[in-house]
Amino acid sequence: MESSRQITNDPVMLEIFWERCISIVDEAADTLVRAAFSTVARESNDFGCAVCDSDGTGIGYTTKGTPRMSIILPRTIRAIIEKIPADTLQDGDVLFTNDPWYGSGHLPDFYITMPIFRHGKIVGYAGASSHVADVGGTVSTGARQVYEEGICFPPVKLFRAGAPDPVIFSIIEKNVRVSDMVLGDLNALITSCRTSARELVKLMDETGIDDLRPVSAELNARTEKVFRRAIEEIPDGTYSSSIQTDGFDGPVKLQCAITVRGSDVEIDCAGCSPQASPGGINVVYNYTYSAFVYVLKCVLDPHTPYNEGITRPVKVTVPPGTILNAQFPAPVFARNQTAHYIPAMAMDALSKAIPERVMAACGSPTNRTNFSGRNGLDGRPFSYMMISSGGMGACAGKDGYSCTPYPSNSGSPPVEVIESVVPLTIRRKALRPDSGGAGEFRGGLGIELIVENSSGQPMQVASRMDRVENPPLGLAGGGEGGLAGIWMDERPFPPKGRGELAPAHCMLIHSPGGGGYGPPRQRDANKLAEDLREGFVSTGNAETHYGWKPQ
């Protein structure tokens, strides 16, 4: 305890300790990426890592992966420990769940945590999460209940005192399409947590700390203080926004009112559409909460390393049974098709108070198209999720990035990687001219993909796509981004549907562009000339939106 007090009273030592914690979870993240079998973790960064003290309070989060997964991890760890109490745990135990209401909102996200023992007592918890390649079920958005979407594990002991539970592993193996890949990713998550646990004990040995909680409390208090100071820069008031999504079989309304009082933020989501059925586009509260916290962090304090201190000034209220607080057993497989609208809605609300700090709507949700079949490149069943990212929205002073996933941070693997793991041939991958919203600062461009079935056999296709009808909106007079779309052999394909792709036939996929910022006719002439030269903007678009005249 004396060492803990010495560190908490020494700003330099405290900073060194925190940086070491972050480096530990970054090493755990690298371990996860190197050990993962599927491209979704290895190439697309769809994972999170964190270390917590013995109360389950987050101390350090990885700087890699998907931030919202890391934000959720301590909440998940505490919920797991409520079901499997600390006094029942042994050194070598590994806990596991993929229950959407414990984690980040859908079954493909696997969550692993393990108690960290030192001198015979629990000093903390290591946590890691990742999207895995398959969990069985429909692999589509059309389910009426979560039961149809795949296998679900409540919090369970995956290992007991270092010994694996063969029953759980065999259940997973029997219920997923690509068991080697899923079990490989599960073992990668376990190895990641073991890395965090080993290195955290080593840090405690070096510093002589017996109890992480005093240091954790000080680090979280400092983070909270910095974040509250950033919140205080927003004028007090209530700022509202309402947005429409494509929904499943009809439009969905999302609504929020963000109230700022001093250094506190209260977000009320009353007025949202009820949870959907059929249609796995529902969002659990955890994921909604983390999305609001994440966007506030991005807007107000993007540079300070974060821990659970950033969650303390933020209260989010969502009526149960609505689409942003779906109740069991609602289908949730495609929850990102709704949740990825939250940052655009929040930034639109905040634009009424701090317009210079926010950006126009991004070309998200990230489109996801699942290809699966019985005979992959190795002759075994395969299931592959193709991610096609849209353009980011522009902001005051800066164009949006093209084909950049926000807020998911989970991108598409290189063409060479895709073609090396599944029987798909990428016939075209290119930026879509004119898809970025016009503005003084232009929205990022979406992508065009042409994907051919090169397996020699029919292949199942399931699409998760939004913004086919509701484009990303601009801000401060900026134009809207281009719409998304999907076609099979030049015929429209259901944006949230299923079908069969014949051998040598193709899917055409368009991701949306980001919204523009500011009046287009105020765009710098040199930037517009560069857009024309690079093919980002056509001459017709330049004439119509920017007032450009041929020389």
Side-chain angles (χ1 to χ4, degrees):
M1 186 66 73
E2 183 61 33
S3 295
S4 295
R5 281 196 292 266
Q6 288 175 353
I7 289 179
T8 56
N9 293 329
D10 185 336
V12 175
M13 285 301 297
L14 192 67
E15 179 69 18
I16 292 171
F17 189 91
W18 193 8
E19 291 296 332
R20 283 286 299 275
C21 286
I22 295 170
S23 71
I24 286 169
V25 285
D26 278 347
E27 182 179 348
D30 289 340
T31 299
L32 172 57
V33 169
R34 288 195 299 268
F37 278 46
S38 69
T39 58
V40 71
R42 193 174 68 240
E43 301 284 345
S44 298
N45 303 309
D46 202 349
F47 65 85
C49 297
V51 289
C52 300
D53 64 23
S54 57
D55 290 333
T57 302
I59 307 173
Y61 302 164
T62 181
T63 61
K64 306 173 184 183
T66 303
R68 288 173 303 162
M69 272 195 170
S70 297
I71 290 171
I72 289 170
L73 259 167
R75 296 170 66 93
T76 303
I77 289 170
R78 291 193 294 271
I80 291 173
I81 301 306
E82 284 185 12
K83 290 293 183 181
I84 308 175
D87 59 11
T88 68
L89 300 178
Q90 306 174 70
D91 197 359
D93 283 356
V94 176
L95 313 181
F96 162 61
T97 187
N98 71 326
D99 187 320
W101 282 267
Y102 279 83
S104 56
H106 68 173
L107 294 168
D109 286 349
F110 278 16
Y111 276 77
I112 290 290
T113 186
M114 62 177 60
I116 303 172
F117 278 82
R118 181 173 179 267
H119 301 326
K121 70 174 186 177
I122 296 175
V123 294
Y125 294 90
S129 58
S130 176
H131 187 112
V132 299
D134 189 73
V135 288
T138 63
V139 197
S140 75
T141 60
R144 292 180 179 276
Q145 293 183 321
V146 71
Y147 304 115
E148 303 168 46
E149 297 181 324
I151 190 168
C152 179
F153 287 90
V156 294
K157 282 191 178 183
L158 190 62
F159 280 67
R160 296 173 182 270
D165 186 328
V167 174
I168 296 176
F169 280 91
S170 63
I171 290 172
I172 294 172
E173 182 178 16
K174 191 67 175 177
N175 281 275
V176 302
R177 296 172 179 84
V178 283
S179 59
D180 286 354
M181 192 172 290
V182 173
L183 292 175
D185 284 352
L186 185 57
N187 282 311
L189 286 165
I190 295 166
T191 304
S192 172
C193 284
R194 286 176 174 158
T195 300
S196 289
R198 182 189 68 240
E199 294 302 317
L200 191 63
V201 168
K202 188 184 298 183
L203 175 59
M204 294 179 72
D205 289 342
E206 291 175 10
T207 57
I209 290 177
D210 292 321
D211 189 346
L212 289 170
R213 288 174 295 182
V215 179
S216 171
E218 182 64 23
L219 288 173
N220 275 275
R222 289 177 179 238
T223 300
E224 179 184 357
K225 183 178 180 181
V226 172
F227 198 44
R228 285 188 180 279
R229 192 179 301 144
I231 293 170
E232 287 173 346
E233 296 178 9
I234 307 175
D236 282 3
T238 298
Y239 310 101
S240 300
S241 178
S242 179
I243 199 167
Q244 181 172 288
T245 80
D246 293 0
F248 179 72
D249 52 10
V252 164
K253 179 184 178 182
L254 304 181
Q255 188 164 304
C256 74
I258 301 176
T259 299
V260 179
R261 294 188 185 92
S263 65
D264 289 300
V265 176
E266 294 185 9
I267 302 172
D268 187 352
C269 294
C272 293
S273 293
Q275 63 189 53
S277 179
I281 59 172
N282 300 295
V283 189
V284 304
Y285 178 82
N286 266 358
Y287 204 60
T288 295
Y289 180 81
S290 69
F292 277 113
V293 170
Y294 177 56
V295 71
L296 288 171
K297 172 66 173 162
C298 290
V299 171
L300 302 177
D301 181 30
H303 303 299
T304 305
Y306 65 100
N307 51 36
E308 267 200 285
I310 65 171
T311 67
R312 293 173 180 171
V314 184
K315 179 182 179 182
V316 180
T317 302
V318 190
T322 57
I323 200 158
L324 294 183
N325 187 5
Q327 303 298 292
F328 179 84
V332 290
F333 177 72
R335 50 77 164 114
N336 62 295
Q337 302 304 123
T338 301
H340 283 188
Y341 277 89
I342 290 175
M345 179 172 62
M347 289 199 194
D348 179 61
L350 292 172
S351 71
K352 300 169 177 64
I354 46 171
E356 72 288 350
R357 302 282 292 275
V358 299
M359 65 179 172
C362 294
S364 53
T366 302
N367 299 327
R368 302 180 182 225
T369 310
N370 190 271
F371 298 89
S372 59
R374 296 183 60 83
N375 291 288
L377 296 177
D378 58 0
R380 305 174 70 177
F382 68 93
S383 179
Y384 177 75
M385 183 175 67
M386 177 80 70
I387 298 175
S388 48
S389 302
M392 285 186 73
C395 58
K398 194 169 187 178
D399 292 345
Y401 291 113
S402 296
C403 301
T404 302
Y406 182 87
S408 67
N409 198 37
S410 55
S412 177
V415 168
E416 296 82 1
V417 171
I418 296 171
E419 294 182 343
S420 71
V421 296
V422 285
L424 296 170
T425 300
I426 309 302
R427 291 299 181 190
R428 178 174 173 79
K429 183 177 183 180
L431 297 175
R432 292 177 55 209
D434 296 334
S435 59
E440 180 181 3
F441 302 98
R442 175 183 45 75
L445 275 61
I447 199 169
E448 177 177 286
L449 279 172
I450 300 179
V451 184
E452 180 184 320
N453 175 2
S454 54
S455 71
Q457 296 185 357
M459 182 181 295
Q460 298 301 309
V461 179
S463 175
R464 283 186 277 159
M465 179 174 285
D466 216 283
R467 293 206 182 275
V468 175
E469 300 175 2
N470 292 278
L473 301 179
L475 276 180
E480 60 191 33
L483 289 168
I486 185 167
W487 299 262
M488 180 183 287
D489 294 329
E490 300 183 354
R491 295 189 302 274
F493 189 80
K496 297 181 178 69
R498 303 181 67 182
E500 187 173 88
L501 183 63
H505 288 242
C506 295
M507 302 293 299
L508 169 62
I509 301 169
H510 283 179
S511 68
Y517 190 101
R521 291 177 183 263
Q522 293 182 14
R523 185 161 179 79
D524 181 87
N526 292 326
K527 289 184 178 180
L528 182 59
E530 183 180 358
D531 286 341
L532 289 164
R533 187 167 58 250
E534 295 290 340
F536 298 157
V537 175
S538 67
T539 55
N541 182 285
E543 289 184 65
T544 301
H545 295 287
Y546 293 95
W548 177 81
K549 302 293 184 184
Q551 301 297 318

